[in-house]
């Protein structure tokens, strides 16, 4: 007879007895491989910790166990109590907390030294040992800790990242431990179990390290996204907060789609990763604005400030010219008539009457000029011609615009020039907003810029649709959108969700220089009108209103 290399009983190397032991060993190996596979496929840290704890307890018939992770983020390292399981205290609740990293505790000693502790009876430790059992748990929950196995979890480089602790190896798996029966129903951990659990601890450490690395990458990417949004908003302060608000609305509406069980949206479900993908697309949907000239992005009125200043200088020049011409006429009149007629400065003085007439003509000309300036200032506001065509303007305003467009003056170079150039008049007569057709085309190009930028990033498989989702947020179901003029079937549903969020925020935002924020009922009416014209998704608009998604912004 020879002894197996594990905790299996002494056996004869012959016949069925050897076969049964080999089967048990093979089953254990398969179980370990399955655990490794499960750990590799788990992204959630809490699930990883609970999985390794339950499997370690299952293999060793442990009644309880806990996992600590080493936290070195602060100046003073500490242990974080991350997970706990206990069959005998299934109704007890455990929460995460931090404990000092000290060799006086079992977990602290293992974390500091990297040594394994296999303790048959933790209640009877020698007093000269650096570590002792903390009995507060047993006292609080009326429990009896006896056999304990505490192992370090070390990554591939041998660095300790945590501690796995198993408590009370039972003689039978279904026994519940009490302070009265703990001595009879528990037993020490064997060397074989120690080796197996150490292997599991190593697997866990690698999985935790991978998970922490993944979290670090995601945090890095989150910071990158935030920095990108900040860049956008710094270049376009008029839409500050827009990307974040649109992202909140988009995620909220997506989650409501998940909750629908009937109708056209009933069969559509988005995973957590897909929702994350949609959120990033929403945050970055306007990133292409970094390629749009700041002059256009920050345009608050129809004319640029420097253009308005030039026109104002022309008006001032025209007024000075009128005053100069009036003065010259007075002088010439007096010069021509000072010797031809006797001087009569009474009420009927022809000189005074003529001078007064010239002053009146000058006052009328200046008043007309001021009227034109006031009209220009009104037209320069983005809301001036909202929902109006030139043909619907009053005859007085139309006549004034015609006169203003034909008004000329003599510049300092002696040439006759228009007071307001045709290009400036075109800007003033923009019917909606403050951008000309060419400027609007430049702004609309931000969608293509966004796509080209996002498409250069080597996204993971779970985030690979971000460029496409962002690319479609200005497309319309009837094909009238831009930049590609896609039809309904070609526009991803995620983009359709983003579109509604984008429109809603654009209409309700209080920071747009070219429009006032609209009331909620008016915005919902506009969304329904757009849906009735087959511009946006009616099912999504109805869901947006019914579930009051807008409340995510406090509306």
């Amino acid at each position: 007879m020879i002894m197996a290399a594990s905790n299996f009983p002494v056996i004869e190397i012959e016949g069925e007895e050897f076969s049964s032991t080999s089967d048990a060993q093979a089953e254990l190996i398969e179980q370990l491989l399955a655990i490794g596979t499960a750990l590799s496929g788990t992204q959630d840290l809490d699930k990883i910790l609970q999985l390794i704890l339950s499997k370690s307890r299952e293999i060793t018939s442990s009644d309880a166990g806990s996992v600590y992770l080493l936290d070195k983020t602060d100046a003073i390292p500490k242990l974080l109590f991350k997970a706990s399981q206990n069959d005998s205290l299934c109704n007890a609740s455990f929460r995460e907390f931090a404990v000092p990293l000290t060799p006086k505790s079992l977990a602290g000693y293992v974390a500091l030294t990297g040594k394994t502790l296999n303790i048959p009876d933790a209640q009877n430790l020698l007093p000269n040992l650096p570590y002792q059992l903390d009995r507060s748990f047993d006292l609080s929950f009326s429990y009896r800790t006896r056999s304990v196995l505490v192992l370090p979890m070390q990554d591939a480089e041998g660095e300790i990242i945590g501690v796995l602790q198993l408590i009370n190896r039972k003689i039978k798996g279904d026994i519940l431990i009490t302070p009265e029966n703990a001595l009879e129903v528990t037993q020490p951990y064997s060397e074989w179990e120690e080796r197996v659990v150490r292997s599991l601890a190593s697997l866990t450490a690698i999985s935790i390290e991978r998970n922490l690395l993944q979290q670090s990458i995601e945090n890095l990417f989150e910071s990158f996204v935030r920095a990108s949004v900040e860049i956008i908003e710094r270049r376009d302060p008029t839409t500050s907060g827009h990307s974040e608000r649109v992202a909140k609305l988009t995620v909220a509406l997506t989650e409501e789609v998940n909750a629908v069980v009937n109708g056209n949206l009933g069969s559509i479900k988005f995973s957590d990763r897909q929702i994350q993908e949609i959120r990033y697309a929403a945050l970055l949907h306007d990133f292409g604005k970094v390629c749009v000239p700041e002059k256009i992005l920050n345009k608050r009125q129809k004319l640029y400030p420097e253009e308005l200043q030039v026109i104002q200088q022309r008006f001032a020049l025209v007024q000075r010219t009128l005053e100069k011409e009036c003065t010259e006429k007075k002088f010439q009149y007096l010069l021509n008539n000072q010797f031809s007629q006797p001087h009569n400065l009474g009420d009927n003085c022809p000189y005074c009457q003529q001078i007064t007439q010239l002053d009146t003509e000058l006052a009328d000309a200046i008043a007309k000029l001021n009227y034109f300036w006031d009209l220009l200032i009104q037209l320069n506001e983005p809301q001036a011609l909202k929902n109006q065509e030139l043909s619907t303007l009053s005859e007085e305003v139309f006549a004034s615009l015609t006169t203003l467009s034909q008004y000329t003056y003599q510049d300092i170079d002696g040439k006759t020039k228009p007071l307001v150039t045709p290009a400036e008049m075109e800007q003033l007569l923009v019917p909606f907003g403050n951008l000309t057709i060419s400027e609007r085309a430049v702004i609309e190009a931000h969608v293509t810029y966004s796509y080209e930028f996002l498409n250069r990033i080597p996204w993971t498989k779970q985030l690979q649709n971000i460029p496409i989702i962002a690319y479609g947020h200005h497309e319309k179901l009837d094909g009238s959108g831009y930049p590609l003029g896609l039809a309904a079937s070609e526009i991803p549903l995620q983009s359709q969700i983003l579109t509604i969020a984008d429109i809603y925020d654009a209409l309700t935002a209080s920071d747009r220089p070219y429009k006032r924020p609209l009331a909620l009922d008016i915005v919902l009416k506009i969304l329904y009108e757009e849906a009735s014209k087959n511009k946006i998704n009616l099912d999504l608009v109805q869901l947006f209103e019914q579930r009051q998604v807008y409340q995510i912004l406090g509306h």
Side-chain angles (χ1 to χ4, degrees):
M1 298 178 66
I2 64 170
M3 183 172 290
S6 67
N7 192 42
F8 295 117
V10 177
I11 57 174
E12 297 285 348
I13 309 180
E14 61 180 51
E16 295 181 0
E17 292 180 273
F18 177 76
S19 176
S20 63
T21 303
S22 298
D23 290 343
Q25 291 176 326
E27 182 180 348
L28 175 62
I29 293 173
E30 290 176 359
Q31 191 174 7
L32 292 174
L33 290 174
I35 294 172
T37 302
L39 288 172
S40 300
T42 304
Q43 302 294 331
D44 186 272
L45 178 59
D46 291 335
K47 291 181 179 179
I48 290 175
L49 300 180
Q50 292 294 340
L51 174 65
I52 193 59
L53 199 51
S54 62
K55 293 301 181 182
S56 298
R57 291 175 54 242
E58 178 183 335
I59 291 175
T60 60
S61 293
S62 294
D63 185 59
S66 55
V67 178
Y68 297 83
L69 292 185
L70 192 58
D71 182 7
K72 296 182 179 179
T73 56
D74 296 332
I76 302 176
K78 55 183 176 292
L79 283 174
L80 298 179
F81 183 82
K82 297 291 292 185
S84 182
Q85 297 173 4
N86 193 307
D87 287 342
S88 299
L89 300 174
C90 55
N91 294 326
S93 59
F94 304 97
R95 58 181 178 81
E96 179 179 324
F97 60 89
V99 295
L101 183 58
T102 168
K104 294 181 179 180
S105 68
L106 303 184
Y109 178 83
V110 172
L112 289 170
T113 64
K115 296 179 180 179
T116 297
L117 293 179
N118 189 341
I119 304 172
D121 189 349
Q123 301 285 347
N124 295 307
L125 291 172
L126 296 175
N128 60 339
L129 292 174
Y131 50 84
Q132 293 292 324
L133 175 68
D134 183 356
R135 291 180 169 81
S136 60
F137 177 86
D138 287 5
L139 294 174
S140 299
F141 292 93
S142 187
Y143 191 72
R144 175 76 154 84
T145 299
R146 192 189 180 203
S147 55
V148 179
L149 179 61
V150 192
L151 307 100
M153 294 190 295
Q154 296 173 295
D155 61 18
E157 297 178 355
E159 183 176 352
I160 297 173
I161 65 171
V163 173
L164 174 62
Q165 180 172 274
L166 299 177
I167 299 173
N168 286 341
R169 179 194 173 206
K170 298 184 286 189
I171 58 176
K172 287 183 63 178
D174 57 353
I175 296 176
L176 295 182
I177 294 178
T178 66
E180 292 74 26
N181 70 1
L183 293 177
E184 291 77 24
V185 300
T186 62
Q187 57 185 329
Y189 288 91
S190 67
E191 182 182 345
W192 169 81
E193 287 168 322
E194 183 180 323
R195 291 202 305 269
V196 172
V197 176
R198 189 182 297 117
S199 298
L200 288 178
S202 298
L203 285 175
T204 306
I206 294 172
S207 297
I208 292 173
E209 184 182 27
R210 187 200 67 239
N211 180 272
L212 295 176
L213 178 60
Q214 179 68 25
Q215 286 185 358
S216 177
I217 293 173
E218 291 183 2
N219 291 337
L220 178 64
F221 183 73
E222 181 76 20
S223 299
F224 161 75
V225 171
R226 293 287 181 186
S228 300
V229 172
E230 185 177 345
I231 290 173
I232 300 168
E233 295 183 349
R234 284 191 177 184
R235 296 193 76 250
D236 186 11
T238 61
T239 58
S240 177
H242 171 69
S243 297
E244 183 65 42
R245 294 192 300 269
V246 169
K248 288 182 178 179
L249 290 167
T250 302
V251 170
L253 184 52
T254 303
E255 290 174 341
E256 293 298 343
V257 170
N258 275 354
V260 175
V261 294
N262 299 313
N264 296 330
L265 301 176
S267 61
I268 299 171
K269 295 291 179 287
F270 295 102
S271 67
D272 291 343
R273 283 293 182 181
Q274 286 177 312
I275 293 177
Q276 183 187 44
E277 181 181 60
I278 295 170
R279 174 175 171 269
Y280 283 146
L283 284 170
L284 294 169
H285 75 283
D286 275 345
F287 187 79
K289 286 183 177 180
V290 298
C291 298
V292 177
E294 288 189 44
K295 180 180 179 180
I296 297 178
L297 279 179
N298 297 322
K299 190 179 184 185
R300 295 180 175 272
Q301 296 172 310
K302 295 180 181 180
L303 293 169
Y304 295 105
E306 60 271 21
E307 291 178 320
L308 185 63
Q309 186 177 11
V310 169
I311 297 175
Q312 186 177 24
Q313 290 172 351
R314 290 186 208 142
F315 272 77
L317 176 60
V318 170
Q319 181 171 334
R320 289 196 299 271
T321 301
L322 290 172
E323 292 169 346
K324 174 176 174 292
E325 290 175 350
C326 179
T327 301
E328 289 175 347
K329 287 179 181 179
K330 289 179 182 178
F331 176 77
Q332 190 64 42
Y333 175 77
L334 293 174
L335 186 64
N336 292 339
N337 292 281
Q338 63 177 328
F339 300 114
S340 60
Q341 297 183 16
H343 294 186
N344 181 2
L345 302 178
D347 293 339
N348 297 321
C349 170
Y351 302 106
C352 298
Q353 292 176 2
Q354 184 62 31
I355 295 299
T356 301
Q357 177 64 30
L358 289 173
D359 285 338
T360 301
E361 291 175 358
L362 174 63
D364 290 344
I366 292 176
K368 185 177 182 179
L369 195 65
N370 289 335
Y371 170 77
F372 284 148
W373 176 254
D374 292 339
L375 177 62
L376 186 149
I377 293 299
Q378 293 175 21
L379 290 173
N380 195 36
E381 294 300 321
Q383 297 289 318
L385 297 177
K386 183 180 179 182
N387 299 326
Q388 294 190 65
E389 299 291 340
L390 286 178
S391 59
T392 64
L393 296 174
S394 67
E395 291 184 7
E396 179 185 359
V397 174
F398 186 82
S400 299
L401 286 173
T402 303
T403 303
L404 177 58
S405 65
Q406 297 171 351
Y407 197 111
T408 59
Y409 73 102
Q410 191 174 46
D411 204 351
I412 55 177
D413 59 3
K415 295 181 180 179
T416 300
K417 298 178 182 179
L419 182 60
V420 180
T421 68
E424 293 163 346
M425 187 61 68
E426 178 188 359
Q427 289 178 259
L428 290 169
L429 296 180
V430 170
F432 177 75
N434 62 343
L435 299 177
T436 64
I437 295 176
S438 60
E439 289 170 335
R440 189 166 297 279
V442 174
I443 287 286
E444 291 178 354
H446 82 274
V447 181
T448 301
Y449 295 143
S450 293
Y451 173 76
E452 291 174 348
F453 164 75
L454 295 174
N455 207 35
R456 288 175 175 268
I457 299 175
W459 302 101
T460 62
K461 183 178 180 180
Q462 293 85 357
L463 302 175
Q464 63 184 355
N465 292 317
I466 288 177
I468 294 296
I469 295 172
Y471 202 18
H473 78 276
H474 278 298
E475 299 289 352
K476 304 299 181 185
L477 302 184
D478 64 353
S480 63
Y482 65 88
L484 300 178
L486 300 178
S489 60
E490 300 172 301
I491 306 173
L493 185 63
Q494 297 96 315
S495 298
Q496 297 179 37
I497 294 173
L498 174 55
T499 297
I500 291 174
D502 190 45
I503 294 174
Y504 177 85
D505 186 69
L507 294 175
T508 58
S510 59
D511 51 11
R512 302 297 173 94
Y514 51 82
K515 70 164 202 61
R516 300 181 184 90
L518 300 180
L520 175 61
D521 58 336
I522 297 176
V523 174
L524 292 175
K525 182 179 179 181
I526 292 173
L527 289 174
Y528 274 106
E529 287 177 353
E530 289 292 289
S532 68
K533 298 174 184 177
N534 196 33
K535 301 290 185 182
I536 58 179
N537 190 310
L538 177 60
D539 293 321
L540 293 176
V541 172
Q542 291 174 335
L543 186 64
F544 185 85
E545 180 193 25
Q546 292 167 3
R547 302 297 176 87
Q548 299 183 359
V549 173
Y550 43 81
Q551 287 188 348
I552 195 73
L553 300 183
H555 295 176

